[in-house]
Amino acid sequence: MVTKNGGKPRRQSLVVLLMLMTLTCIGSVGFSQSIDSPYEVATWQGFRSAAVSFTFDDGTPNQSTVAVPMFNEYGFKATFFTVINWGPNWTALQSAANSGHEIASHTMSHASLGSISTDQYAELRNSQDAINARIAGQKCLTIAYPNCVVGDKALCSQFYIAARICSGQIEPSTPADFMAISSFVCGTQGSIQRSEDFSNKVAAAVRTKGWVVFLIHAIDGESGYSPTSSTQLRGALDSLKSHIDTYWVSSFVNVARYVKERNNVSVKEIAASDSTLTMRVTDTLPDSIYNYPVTIRRPLPSNWSSVTLTQSGKNISGQVVVENGTKYLMFDVVPDNGDIALRKSTATAIGSSFNTVPSRTMLMPNYPNPFNPSTSLEFQVSSSAFVSLKVLDVLGREVATLVKEERQPGTYTVRWDGSGFPSGVYFCRLHTGSGTETKRLALVR
Ligand SMILES: [Zn+2]
């Protein structure tokens, strides 16, 4: 190294040393992700902007009679942390498990772990065994510490892939410590009481691409800690459902598994021709636990109009999404589950062979709104149509044309960047053969 300043090389080598140390640290928390260009692996399933988990502790009766049916209605999966010695309603828990909800450990006795008199091994191990013996169709893989008192993390990590505390923080997209995942206490004793309180935390998680975990005990008038209003909870679920392409709502264990797989996954394109791409998605994690699908996308090859997608010869589903004018193939795959083939198809429509065809053509509410400087506009098309998507100012003058072409059935997302436009109200207008829909946007600086 040639330099005029004797002090400089030393500083540079210090910088290099710091970089090496940083890389070593990242390696130690499990990053070995390796992804061939032009593939991308989503931070959150479906390339959504945040993960949201609802967790329920202590097994109060209204959790199975009110919460489970409500979550089923919305198609969301929740987590139920169960205290074995409190005589759980195993029939109700099995029924919840059958609907895809997670049944997990809240220890044997609900004693605070970490107190000297507690046999932590028995609390951790026996509760897991009891749930595995009683609940068919899933494994008990996560735990909530009783009274939010952190237990012996090293011991805990021998049995569980994630453990929950209640310190009221939003987790980053990769939590620093899976044995102490934070959550927000809901209900009368907590900070989350109204639908708006849920929504504000979820919006904050979007800003950091983070993971927000809610902790609910009693529901409505039943006895139990910190009751949460089912009306307010329903309002929160309504709001999440209306932005389903922004928020990934899933159980605690599914989000934990997703993060670990995403950070470990290897995506390789092993063969490519004009009409077929073959790829391999693997990880180095135990397949008996880490078998949750991760979302991958790549640009649609330019001369392809349609795709068939298979893994180990079986059809898997996917979508075409548009972002910043690029058409992507987006699909979910379980790592280590066989090679994936993307085949150019002669089918007339992407939707018929690849997409889930939407039931009707419509424009969704944009997100975020208000926004600064850009917002996502999503629309779905139920049958092939010439589509125009325009942004108008408050006087009805066109300020941007985002889409003006034939579109196949599918769901599309387009971003509008309002940089350079004045603050104020705008209108987004979707026009197809079947009609016109308009939504109001607010650009606020
Ligand atoms: Zn508890």
Side-chain angles (χ1 to χ4, degrees):
M1 191 179 297
V2 178
T3 171
K4 290 176 192 166
N5 178 344
K8 213 172 169 187
R10 204 158 136 203
R11 180 177 292 175
Q12 284 174 349
S13 44
L14 184 63
V15 169
V16 170
L17 181 64
L18 285 171
M19 284 170 65
L20 283 171
M21 286 169 65
T22 308
L23 288 170
T24 311
C25 288
I26 289 170
S28 70
V29 294
F31 277 93
S32 56
Q33 195 190 50
S34 138
I35 299 159
D36 277 2
S37 177
Y39 294 88
E40 295 171 64
V41 174
T43 301
W44 298 119
Q45 196 189 53
F47 283 86
R48 293 176 174 94
S49 303
V52 183
S53 296
F54 289 87
T55 63
F56 294 82
D57 284 17
D58 301 354
T60 67
N62 282 353
Q63 290 177 10
S64 50
T65 56
V66 177
V68 169
M70 190 191 294
F71 276 72
N72 288 347
E73 195 185 314
Y74 286 90
F76 293 147
K77 309 306 175 202
T79 296
F80 296 87
F81 287 115
T82 303
V83 184
I84 309 304
N85 293 351
W86 289 0
N89 181 341
W90 291 109
T91 309
L93 290 174
Q94 180 65 62
S95 161
N98 295 346
S99 300
H101 302 292
E102 179 191 10
I103 312 305
S105 172
H106 199 26
T107 73
M108 294 300 293
S109 71
H110 204 278
S112 293
L113 301 179
S115 80
I116 207 84
S117 59
T118 304
D119 180 353
Q120 291 202 41
Y121 182 90
E123 291 286 352
L124 298 170
R125 169 76 192 266
N126 295 351
S127 60
Q128 180 177 57
D129 285 350
I131 290 169
N132 284 337
R134 291 287 204 142
I135 301 294
Q138 63 168 253
K139 286 190 171 74
C140 173
L141 293 171
T142 72
I143 189 166
Y145 299 119
N147 310 311
C148 302
V149 177
V150 177
D152 178 339
K153 291 191 218 169
L155 184 64
C156 196
S157 65
Q158 292 176 24
F159 306 109
Y160 298 98
I161 68 165
R164 203 211 58 212
I165 55 172
C166 331
S167 53
Q169 305 288 317
I170 292 165
E171 291 287 339
S173 56
T174 296
D177 184 355
F178 274 96
M179 289 301 117
I181 299 291
S182 192
S183 67
F184 292 90
V185 175
C186 304
T188 54
Q189 309 296 307
S191 60
I192 311 295
Q193 299 183 7
R194 301 164 307 145
S195 306
E196 294 77 14
D197 301 330
F198 287 97
S199 301
N200 289 340
K201 292 302 174 200
V202 168
V206 167
R207 289 194 284 274
T208 57
K209 270 207 144 184
W211 177 20
V212 58
V213 181
F214 295 112
L215 164 52
I216 297 170
H217 292 84
I219 297 167
D220 295 335
E222 69 179 348
S223 63
Y225 180 70
S226 193
T228 296
S229 153
S230 61
T231 308
Q232 298 301 320
L233 181 59
R234 177 176 285 282
L237 300 190
D238 257 337
S239 162
L240 289 164
K241 189 77 180 180
S242 68
H243 298 291
I244 196 63
D245 292 303
T246 303
Y247 309 128
W248 179 38
V249 182
S250 199
S251 62
F252 192 69
V253 70
N254 284 350
V255 176
R257 290 195 292 178
Y258 190 96
V259 173
K260 293 184 188 206
E261 288 180 356
R262 171 242 283 163
N263 289 348
N264 185 279
V265 78
S266 155
V267 177
K268 296 252 165 282
E269 191 170 90
I270 54 174
S273 72
D274 287 349
S275 60
T276 306
L277 302 168
T278 307
M279 51 176 303
R280 190 166 286 168
V281 178
T282 56
D283 65 30
T284 58
L285 301 167
D287 292 342
S288 62
I289 293 174
Y290 295 97
N291 52 18
Y292 197 80
V294 294
T295 307
I296 292 173
R297 73 179 184 187
R298 63 155 290 146
L300 184 69
S302 56
N303 58 344
W304 291 23
S305 62
S306 184
V307 177
T308 58
L309 190 58
T310 57
Q311 186 171 23
S312 294
K314 289 191 194 115
N315 281 317
I316 58 175
S317 64
Q319 272 186 292
V320 172
V321 293
V322 180
E323 196 172 301
N324 297 323
T326 302
K327 282 184 185 173
Y328 290 94
L329 304 176
M330 180 171 90
F331 46 94
D332 289 345
V333 289
V334 175
D336 299 318
N337 214 14
D339 289 350
I340 298 124
L342 285 58
R343 288 192 185 83
K344 182 177 179 177
S345 166
T346 54
T348 50
I350 287 167
S352 61
S353 64
F354 187 64
N355 254 357
T356 312
V357 179
S359 57
R360 67 188 190 95
T361 296
M362 64 184 292
L363 178 63
M364 314 296 192
N366 65 302
Y367 191 84
N369 192 26
F371 65 98
N372 176 27
S374 71
T375 188
S376 280
L377 303 161
E378 188 190 322
F379 63 95
Q380 56 186 40
V381 178
S382 60
S383 58
S384 298
F386 190 86
V387 173
S388 85
L389 183 70
K390 291 176 175 174
V391 180
L392 313 175
D393 69 11
V394 75
L395 299 173
R397 295 176 300 206
E398 256 182 64
V399 300
T401 299
L402 304 173
V403 177
K404 196 178 176 183
E405 62 183 11
E406 181 88 9
R407 283 288 165 96
Q408 305 296 338
T411 302
Y412 301 93
T413 305
V414 184
R415 272 195 98 70
W416 181 51
D417 187 347
S419 304
F421 292 93
S423 289
V425 171
Y426 292 85
F427 296 94
C428 175
R429 193 174 69 193
L430 176 75
H431 182 75
T432 65
S434 56
T436 300
E437 268 192 85
T438 305
K439 292 266 190 283
R440 187 177 178 277
L441 323 177
L443 173 58
V444 177
R445 289 218 167 75

